[in-house]
Amino acid sequence: SQQGEEDPQALSIQEGENATMNCSYKTSINNLQWYRQNSGRGLVHLILIRSNEREKHSGRLRVTLDTSKKSSSLLITASRAADTASYFCATDDGRQGGSEKLVFGKGTKLTVNP
Amino acid sequence: DAMVIQNPRYQVTQFGKPVTLSCSQTLNHNVMYWYQQKSSQAPKLLFHYYDKDFNNEADTPDNFQSRRPNTSFCFLDIRSPGLGDAAMYLCATSIGQGITDTQYFGPGTRLTVL
C-alpha cells in the first residue's frame, strides 16, 4: 500500500523563487528519502533523513521531518529552470535494522518558469 | 563511472508477445529491484533480489517474472504483455538493507504494447 503522499501534486513557480513540497506518511519509519525524476528518466536520490533527525541540508535543498505529524517537507531555494522535474518522497517500512524496500508517493510535478 | 544500465531504452512489443527487459550494474550492489511506473504515478515495486534470494510483491501479476543470473545482471520477463502493461520499467540497486542505504536507478525502459 502507498506510504507517502506528496502535496501539492503540481507546482509552478518563477525562477529564483523557493519551492516547497510536502509528504505525509502513515506508519513508523527508519528514514525518509526524496528522489527527483526528470521527464522520461530514472529517479535520482537527493537526500535521506533518518527518523531521529529533524532537518537536513544539501546545497539548495532543505528537508525537514516531523515524526509526530508523520510528515516531511522538501524546500528548494532559489529555484532554476533545471529544477523542473517530479519529486518523490519514499519511506521504508520501519522494520528494525532497516529494510531494502521503499514505498514511493505519487510525486509533486515542479515546473520552474524562466 | 559506476552505474545502472537498462536496455533497451524503448521497447515495442505486440499484445501477447513475450518480452525481456535487461538491467546491469557496475556498482556491485547486493540488491536489485524492478519497478513499474505508469504515467503520473508512483513507481510500484514488482520484485527484488537480495543476492540470489528472490522476493516477489504480493500483488505482482504472475505474468511478470525475473531472473538474476549473477550479481551484475537482472532481467524482467513479461510472458504475455497486455495493453495495461505499457509503462516505464525502472531497475534500481542498493548496497543492502541498512537504514541509510539509498537506491540507484537506471534510466528506465519505456514499454509500448501494440
Side-chain angles (χ1 to χ4, degrees):
Chain A
S1 63
Q2 191 166 303
Q3 171 77 304
E5 289 278 353
E6 287 91 342
D7 167 57
Q9 290 188 351
L11 179 62
S12 182
I13 59 173
Q14 295 300 122
E15 208 165 24
E17 294 180 340
N18 295 341
T20 299
M21 290 159 268
N22 303 296
C23 170
S24 59
Y25 57 94
K26 297 174 184 174
T27 64
S28 63
I29 60 172
N30 289 309
N31 67 62
L32 185 144
Q33 304 182 39
W34 285 91
Y35 286 79
R36 165 196 167 123
Q37 184 178 36
N38 286 65
S39 180
R41 306 285 298 184
L43 282 77
V44 175
H45 177 259
L46 294 176
I47 198 163
L48 179 151
I49 187 165
R50 295 177 62 164
S51 60
N52 61 355
E53 297 175 312
R54 292 295 165 258
E55 188 171 312
K56 207 160 181 183
H57 297 253
S58 177
R60 293 183 295 112
L61 305 181
R62 173 178 166 244
V63 168
T64 61
L65 179 65
D66 187 335
T67 53
S68 66
K69 295 181 180 178
K70 292 186 169 59
S71 68
S72 173
S73 67
L74 170 66
L75 168 67
I76 304 174
T77 59
S79 64
R80 305 166 182 168
D83 295 328
T84 295
S86 291
Y87 292 83
F88 294 88
C89 70
T91 56
D92 69 344
D93 59 10
R95 278 189 286 169
Q96 190 174 9
S99 168
E100 66 268 26
K101 288 175 54 172
L102 292 178
V103 180
F104 287 84
K106 286 187 178 180
T108 292
K109 188 169 185 178
L110 173 67
T111 303
V112 181
N113 301 299
Chain B
D1 287 341
M3 57 175 59
V4 182
I5 302 162
Q6 289 188 247
N7 286 306
R9 293 291 315 281
Y10 300 91
Q11 176 74 57
V12 180
T13 190
Q14 292 181 331
F15 183 94
K17 185 175 180 181
V19 66
T20 295
L21 309 182
S22 72
C23 177
S24 64
Q25 56 133 338
T26 60
L27 298 161
N28 203 31
H29 282 174
N30 294 311
V31 193
M32 293 187 77
Y33 309 80
W34 279 105
Y35 290 88
Q36 180 192 64
Q37 186 181 26
K38 296 188 177 180
S39 181
S40 301
Q41 294 188 20
K44 179 180 178 298
L45 183 64
L46 296 173
F47 24 60
H48 73 278
Y49 278 92
Y50 195 111
D51 288 333
K52 294 183 179 180
D53 292 334
F54 178 69
N55 298 272
N56 198 30
E57 292 301 296
D59 56 356
T60 298
D62 293 339
N63 200 24
F64 290 83
Q65 298 191 340
S66 184
R67 297 169 283 136
R68 189 179 185 186
N70 54 52
T71 300
S72 301
F73 285 87
C74 195
F75 301 97
L76 170 61
D77 300 309
I78 309 177
R79 290 192 296 184
S80 182
L83 297 179
D85 297 329
M88 175 76 88
Y89 289 89
L90 297 166
C91 174
T93 72
S94 67
I95 292 174
Q97 64 176 49
I99 60 174
T100 59
D101 288 340
T102 60
Q103 294 188 15
Y104 295 77
F105 282 80
T109 294
R110 183 166 296 282
L111 178 67
T112 300
V113 181
L114 301 177

